[in-house]
Amino acid sequence: MNPKQTLRKRDIYLNKLIAFKDTEPVKVVTGIRRCGKSSLLKLMVEHLKESGISVANIIEMNFESHDFKDMTADELYHYVKDRAIEGERMYLFFDEVQRIDKWEDTINAFRVDLNCDIYITGSNAYLLSSEYSTYLSGRCIEIKMLPLSFAEFIEFHGFEIKETVSALGGTRKVAVDQSGEKYDLGEVFDAYVRFGGMPGIADVGLDQEKALVLLDGIYSSVVVRDVLEREKKRGRKQITDPILLRKIILFLADNVGSNVSFSSIGNTLVNEGLIEETGRKGAPSTHTVQSYVGALLESYFFYDIKRFDIKGKEYLRTLGKYYIVDIGLRNYLLGFRDRDTGHTLENIVYFELLRRGYDVAIGKVDNTEVDFIASKADDKFYVQVTESMKIEDVRARELRPLQAIKDNYEKIVLTLDIGLNTSYDGIKSLNLVEWLLGDRQ
């Protein structure tokens, strides 16, 4: 982050860090590169200073900085130990700590040897692999960070939501920019669908060329540092072909929300001419595709979602679905053009449910599917996502799976165009944009 840029609040995540301040667990912030993890640590540092913690009691280190580029785990230990104030509580912040070989030993040593509160970030799920768990089993708390929600996007881009009187005398919400210009919420949502939620977009503005440069940088750093370099560092040789990796990324990006299998990915790449089937080589093996997809999941580029049989009450091992962490990255990969609006909206809703703390699964009901089952300790509901509920055939198709579920949990359809009715036999039809802004009921 450019030090001249203003730190924008990400309260949903900052409040979680504050809640765990001065507790034993190591606070681990995970998420794709450039989603705001470094800024979150800086926000936490600012919070500590505002609450009276001395600068001398705070140590910040970013391992992507040239200052610490070649530091070893031992050097890290002595660097911090030399700066720790004896008898006082220290607050330690380590950004992209996975770039230090055997960092786990050092973090664990700090816990044992110092009176300290530790915060770390990482851009790869390997950070929290079983190896790390053996060092800190039960002693770390993970804060999963995502790109901007639609509500955050509005705030980051300088809009404010206000209510205005409509032509028919009712009220409607509009977005007002800093110069007082009013925009329909649908227009702002279109910008979100186009540019995505990477925080850096707010610094370059809603300009397609600048956005492409920024997204290209994110894509390249994820692929090089968190997939190819990470695999090399682990001493594995399964992911060696950057061209194949890109083709698998393009395939998954083009098929968000669709049922796919590892074998179908390889076969499709051959059938569509994306991979040449020459000699005995043919399509990549299922195992190879699985390794590449696994690395993309570990780098938080894609997320997978399981299928749950609602009547049988069990998770199924059949075809899975994948969603891309940021819709702007999908547009960067596939081109800025209208495509597949239904799956794009699904992608946005899936990550909003994750932000709100829900476990999310696909629901299987007989031979139909519910887009999402969202559940957490005290809440559960079913969600269908569709562009419009105006067309009778589409409406019937979207309602059918929900009507087949016989329990009493809430059932909703999220749509950009709810049509004339807001309820169908107890199934609510809600405006998707308003729901994203927090209006669930």
Side-chain angles (χ1 to χ4, degrees):
M1 191 190 77
N2 186 328
K4 293 180 182 176
Q5 289 165 0
T6 306
L7 277 176
R8 296 180 176 93
K9 293 286 187 186
R10 302 287 301 274
D11 286 342
I12 184 177
Y13 305 107
L14 180 59
N15 290 339
K16 289 179 184 177
L17 285 187
I18 291 170
F20 285 99
K21 174 182 170 285
D22 288 326
T23 59
E24 186 197 3
V26 174
K27 275 61 74 177
V28 184
V29 182
T30 58
I32 191 171
R33 270 177 195 280
R34 313 273 286 281
C35 72
K37 300 186 299 297
S38 301
S39 295
L40 179 62
L41 291 196
K42 290 182 183 299
L43 286 167
M44 188 62 190
V45 168
E46 289 303 310
H47 171 78
L48 292 178
K49 291 175 183 174
E50 287 166 9
S51 61
I53 304 296
S54 167
V55 174
N57 293 75
I58 300 169
I59 297 174
E60 297 178 78
M61 301 176 74
N62 184 337
F63 296 103
E64 304 233 297
S65 162
H66 193 75
D67 293 342
F68 309 117
K69 189 168 74 77
D70 297 316
M71 185 175 264
T72 65
D74 281 345
E75 288 167 345
L76 168 59
Y77 179 81
H78 291 296
Y79 179 93
V80 172
K81 193 86 187 300
D82 291 346
R83 286 159 177 77
I85 302 168
E86 196 168 341
E88 294 190 22
R89 188 156 185 79
M90 301 299 296
Y91 293 85
L92 312 180
F93 292 84
F94 304 118
D95 203 356
E96 298 296 346
V97 72
Q98 80 270 1
R99 294 190 72 78
I100 298 281
D101 198 30
K102 297 184 179 175
W103 61 273
E104 308 96 322
D105 299 335
T106 306
I107 297 297
N108 201 44
F110 291 148
R111 285 188 53 259
V112 175
D113 299 347
L114 300 177
N115 173 13
C116 63
D117 196 16
I118 303 173
Y119 302 80
I120 67 178
T121 75
S123 301
N124 197 293
Y126 184 62
L127 185 82
L128 288 175
S129 69
S130 56
E131 293 164 47
Y132 185 47
S133 303
T134 57
Y135 286 88
L136 289 180
S137 55
R139 296 194 183 93
C140 65
I141 181 79
E142 184 183 7
I143 312 291
K144 298 175 181 178
M145 199 166 195
L146 290 166
L148 303 178
S149 66
F150 180 49
E152 288 178 314
F153 176 88
I154 285 172
E155 189 179 327
F156 267 53
H157 287 273
F159 294 103
E160 192 178 344
I161 302 296
K162 292 187 176 178
E163 286 202 344
T164 185
V165 178
S166 69
L168 298 175
T171 61
R172 68 184 183 96
K173 290 178 180 173
V174 295
V176 183
D177 69 13
Q178 289 161 332
S179 64
E181 189 79 26
K182 293 178 182 176
Y183 297 87
D184 184 81
L185 276 184
E187 288 181 79
V188 184
F189 182 67
D190 287 345
Y192 181 63
V193 170
R194 186 173 187 78
F195 290 96
M198 283 300 182
I201 299 284
D203 297 323
V204 301
L206 299 175
D207 176 288
Q208 187 165 302
E209 278 188 37
K210 290 177 180 175
L212 282 171
V213 171
L214 181 116
L215 293 167
D216 179 67
I218 294 169
Y219 169 80
S220 300
S221 61
V222 169
V223 167
V224 172
R225 293 184 179 180
D226 295 323
V227 179
L228 298 174
E229 271 186 24
R230 180 71 248 175
E231 289 294 302
K232 192 176 177 183
K233 201 168 183 181
R234 287 163 76 171
R236 301 192 343 184
K237 296 180 180 177
Q238 290 161 304
I239 300 174
T240 55
D241 185 345
I243 295 170
L244 176 58
L245 178 63
R246 182 174 176 84
K247 285 171 178 172
I248 290 174
I249 289 170
L250 289 169
F251 178 90
L252 291 177
D254 204 23
N255 289 277
V256 294
S258 298
N259 295 318
V260 295
S261 69
F262 297 127
S263 59
S264 72
I265 293 172
N267 291 332
T268 303
L269 292 176
V270 170
N271 293 339
E272 293 185 358
L274 294 172
I275 296 173
E276 287 185 22
E277 188 168 16
T278 54
R280 292 163 56 193
K281 193 174 179 182
S285 71
T286 299
H287 181 69
T288 299
V289 172
Q290 188 173 357
S291 296
Y292 279 67
V293 172
L296 291 168
L297 296 175
E298 283 193 343
S299 67
Y300 306 105
F301 202 111
F302 290 93
Y303 285 59
D304 60 345
I305 180 170
K306 294 187 178 72
R307 182 177 273 96
F308 185 79
D309 185 335
I310 293 171
K311 291 187 174 178
K313 293 184 167 46
E314 63 177 355
Y315 284 99
L316 304 170
R317 292 187 177 184
T318 49
L319 301 174
K321 290 185 179 183
Y322 297 87
Y323 292 102
I324 191 166
V325 70
D326 179 67
I327 215 70
L329 279 169
R330 185 183 192 225
N331 293 332
Y332 153 76
L333 288 163
L334 302 176
F336 287 87
R337 62 181 189 273
D338 289 335
R339 88 167 59 70
D340 195 13
T341 305
H343 283 153
T344 296
L345 298 177
E346 263 182 55
N347 202 104
I348 289 168
V349 169
Y350 171 70
F351 284 103
E352 183 61 25
L353 290 169
L354 293 187
R355 283 187 197 93
R356 297 182 185 188
Y358 289 96
D359 290 322
V360 188
I362 305 160
K364 177 185 176 294
V365 197
D366 299 325
N367 293 319
T368 64
E369 267 189 7
V370 176
D371 289 331
F372 302 119
I373 309 169
S375 56
K376 56 184 174 183
D378 57 349
D379 194 10
K380 177 177 175 179
F381 61 103
Y382 301 100
V383 186
Q384 286 288 74
V385 184
T386 185
E387 189 174 1
S388 173
M389 284 288 277
K390 271 191 170 178
I391 302 166
E392 190 174 344
D393 289 352
V394 172
R395 188 167 62 241
R397 185 188 70 211
E398 297 299 332
L399 292 171
R400 195 175 301 117
L402 295 174
Q403 289 165 334
I405 301 170
K406 300 305 179 189
D407 63 37
N408 294 317
Y409 291 112
E410 185 181 26
K411 302 169 183 70
I412 64 174
V413 179
L414 295 175
T415 179
L416 295 179
D417 189 348
I418 61 174
L420 294 175
N421 296 320
T422 57
S423 181
Y424 302 87
D425 299 325
I427 299 167
K428 292 180 185 175
S429 179
L430 303 179
N431 179 278
L432 171 56
V433 175
E434 291 191 7
W435 179 85
L436 288 170
L437 294 176
D439 299 326
R440 258 205 57 203
Q441 298 304 324

